Amino acid sequence: MKKVLFYTNQFFGQVGGEDMAYCQPEVTEGMRGSANTFGAPLKDTAEIVATVVCGDNFYAENMETGRAFLREQIEKYHPDMVIAGPAFNAGRFGIACGDVCKTAKEMGVEAITGLYEENPAVEMYKKDCYILKVGKSAAGIRKAVPLMAGFAKKLLTGEKIGSPKEEQYYAKGQRVNLFREKNGAERAVDMLLAKVNGQPYETELEISTYEKVEPSTPIADLSKAKIALCTTGGIVPFGNPDHMVAATAKFWKDYALGDAQRLEQGQWESVHAGFDPVYANEDPNRVAPYDMLKILEKEGVIGSVHPFLASTTGNSTSVADATRMGQEIARRLLDAGVNGVLLTST
Amino acid sequence: MEKAGIPAAHICTVTPISKTVGAARIFGAQAIPYPTGDPHLSREKEMARRREIVTGALALLTSSDKSVDGESNAVFTD
């Protein structure tokens, strides 16, 4: 019989609601709260030996403590697998589940969770563990439990794991070698024939689809417009006081430029790890052309320059994070009465 | 930003990426490590090149035409 350690939050662990979101992690022998729903579908294969319950705020704000607690329980119970959640579209709970799974995997213990596709934790943790696709809210638990329990049993018994589509987990970004009866050329021709004949076919490599953005109303008179400068070139004050990351940024910074006329060498640098920053460090205006905007302001070509640089690192940044940061920056610029934006990318 | 109602021009070197992700106004930059500069030019010439790129991108903010300056520098409406 395999052993499963279950993780859930204060709500599903029946400690309490949002008022208990700061409750510290605690462990109960056997099943507690939503763990009970997994008991029956797992039986014959695995037993839930203990349930860890932790408040959403507590885990999100004290991740190291949460991890340490989990590690202790893993050392105590020696589970074959950790099952966390499902957390549906819950932000903090989702991140806790992802982090719990990642921590377990780091200790060599298999771990799975279940999240809704838009839960930011999917993007954050899908490479670290299997995340099963579940509904948006707890109303989806009836479908989520058999899906997750069935997948858990496969993993526990060493059964072959199918494709993300077959098993309904988020693709982990791994390439797996497999043998096919027909070679690539034959399969491509089959696919093309099916397509021209109007028959169903399935791509073997899905290309991400992006939304096309409609241009907004153009600026009527540049000489009266307030222009802001944004960059994804990782330009930060020298020494990087805010610890801007070199890749996969999830935040941006708004740097006040006061009455500076340009970005001076030695006062600014690029922390972007996706290009050689030598030229940008020599002259940061090569990435964020603040000097030229100030010149054009003096010449009256543009009305004024918004005296801030909105900066982040655009290196393997997820579309979801980039979209969110763009929305945040837009709100800030609207509040500042900005009429137009130049956004530079490296 | 465009969705929030602020015209925004993307100055980037690999413009097809910008187009793929749906940017509405795109202006071709100098190079990946120095989109608005060129260390191989004299200081004066580099500033002239920067002016060209910045004013070109600014022009996109005032336009709703499908094509402002050839293939890569354009307002995309489809």
Side-chain angles (χ1 to χ4, degrees):
Chain A
M1 199 70 158
K2 301 283 186 180
K3 289 188 283 187
V4 167
L5 179 67
F6 199 87
Y7 177 88
T8 192
N9 70 352
Q10 80 282 359
F11 179 73
F12 289 103
Q14 293 173 343
V15 174
E18 202 56 46
D19 56 323
M20 296 302 289
Y22 276 101
C23 78
Q24 297 207 7
E26 56 184 67
V27 67
T28 310
E29 300 269 329
M31 295 182 285
R32 174 170 174 176
S34 58
N36 284 288
T37 60
F38 282 82
L42 282 176
K43 78 167 175 12
D44 303 337
T45 305
E47 181 196 358
I48 296 174
V49 290
T51 306
V52 173
V53 177
C54 180
D56 283 336
N57 288 348
F58 186 89
Y59 201 98
E61 294 177 20
N62 307 277
M63 286 175 98
E64 205 36 68
T65 314
R67 280 177 206 140
F69 186 85
L70 185 83
R71 285 190 203 105
E72 280 171 31
Q73 307 320 312
I74 288 176
E75 276 159 17
K76 182 174 165 193
Y77 291 101
H78 298 289
D80 299 287
M81 175 183 282
V82 171
I83 298 180
F88 308 103
N89 200 25
R92 293 162 302 170
F93 187 25
I95 286 166
C97 287
D99 198 69
V100 158
C101 289
K102 188 180 177 186
T103 304
K105 294 280 286 187
E106 282 166 1
M107 295 178 75
V109 177
E110 193 51 78
I112 66 166
T113 184
L115 299 172
Y116 180 62
E117 60 189 18
E118 284 181 14
N119 195 316
V122 171
E123 205 56 44
M124 291 167 72
Y125 295 102
K126 67 182 180 186
K127 285 186 179 151
D128 299 308
C129 62
Y130 286 108
I131 303 177
L132 280 300
K133 296 182 178 180
V134 303
K136 200 168 190 173
S137 73
I141 194 132
R142 272 192 201 177
K143 279 187 184 170
V145 170
L147 176 71
M148 289 175 67
F151 189 77
K153 283 164 87 166
K154 274 191 166 180
L155 273 178
L156 285 166
T157 55
E159 213 179 304
K160 194 173 171 299
I161 300 299
S163 69
K165 193 165 185 182
E166 288 161 6
E167 308 282 1
Q168 294 180 59
Y169 61 86
Y170 297 98
K172 297 173 79 184
Q174 291 174 348
R175 291 185 184 189
V176 181
N177 285 327
L178 53 89
F179 286 100
R180 300 294 278 276
E181 278 181 20
K182 292 180 170 180
N183 68 26
E186 291 170 304
R187 300 201 304 278
V189 170
D190 286 348
M191 213 184 285
L192 182 65
L193 288 176
K195 185 173 183 174
V196 296
N197 288 325
Q199 288 160 353
Y201 63 94
E202 210 173 286
T203 179
E204 294 181 11
L205 186 66
E206 263 186 59
I207 305 294
S208 301
T209 51
Y210 300 99
E211 187 185 3
K212 290 280 172 201
V213 181
E214 282 297 310
S216 56
T217 311
I219 296 172
D221 185 355
L222 260 187
S223 69
K224 294 196 176 91
K226 186 176 190 178
I227 304 296
L229 183 59
C230 303
T231 188
T232 62
I235 298 287
V236 297
F238 196 82
N240 192 14
D242 301 299
H243 308 288
M244 176 57 71
V245 291
T248 63
K250 298 192 187 304
F251 68 97
W252 61 283
K253 296 303 287 186
D254 205 17
Y255 292 115
L257 298 174
D259 46 18
Q261 298 301 303
R262 60 192 313 275
L263 303 181
E264 297 291 346
Q265 178 184 15
Q267 292 179 15
W268 300 86
E269 63 176 329
S270 174
V271 295
H272 196 297
F275 70 94
D276 179 358
V278 167
Y279 311 104
N281 294 343
E282 267 173 21
D283 178 3
N285 304 275
R286 284 173 176 156
V287 168
Y290 197 72
D291 60 351
M292 187 52 65
L293 283 178
K294 291 305 279 185
I295 290 170
L296 295 171
E297 178 187 39
K298 266 200 209 99
E299 293 176 358
V301 176
I302 55 177
S304 62
V305 182
H306 179 54
F308 290 84
L309 175 67
S311 182
T312 187
T313 298
N315 185 15
S316 301
T317 305
S318 76
V319 173
D321 285 321
T323 306
R324 175 186 45 79
M325 288 191 275
Q327 287 162 347
E328 291 167 2
I329 294 169
R331 271 197 294 277
R332 180 74 65 91
L333 298 181
L334 279 176
D335 288 346
V338 166
N339 306 110
V341 174
L342 294 190
L343 167 61
T344 63
S345 286
T346 45
Chain B
M1 290 179 219
E2 293 277 358
K3 272 193 195 165
I6 313 174
H10 190 201
I11 299 174
C12 61
T13 306
V14 192
T15 53
I17 295 179
S18 186
K19 202 177 173 199
T20 303
V21 298
R25 301 167 207 267
I26 305 168
F27 196 89
Q30 181 64 32
I32 291 171
Y34 34 87
T36 54
D38 189 346
H40 304 103
L41 298 176
S42 68
R43 182 80 199 139
E44 254 173 40
K45 283 188 175 160
E46 182 174 21
M47 285 306 278
R49 179 70 183 120
R50 185 170 302 152
R51 177 183 287 269
E52 195 177 24
I53 294 166
V54 171
T55 53
L58 285 169
L60 293 182
L61 301 180
T62 65
S63 174
S64 52
D65 292 348
K66 185 166 164 54
S67 183
V68 170
D69 181 17
E71 277 293 298
S72 60
N73 306 331
V75 180
F76 295 99
T77 51
D78 56 345

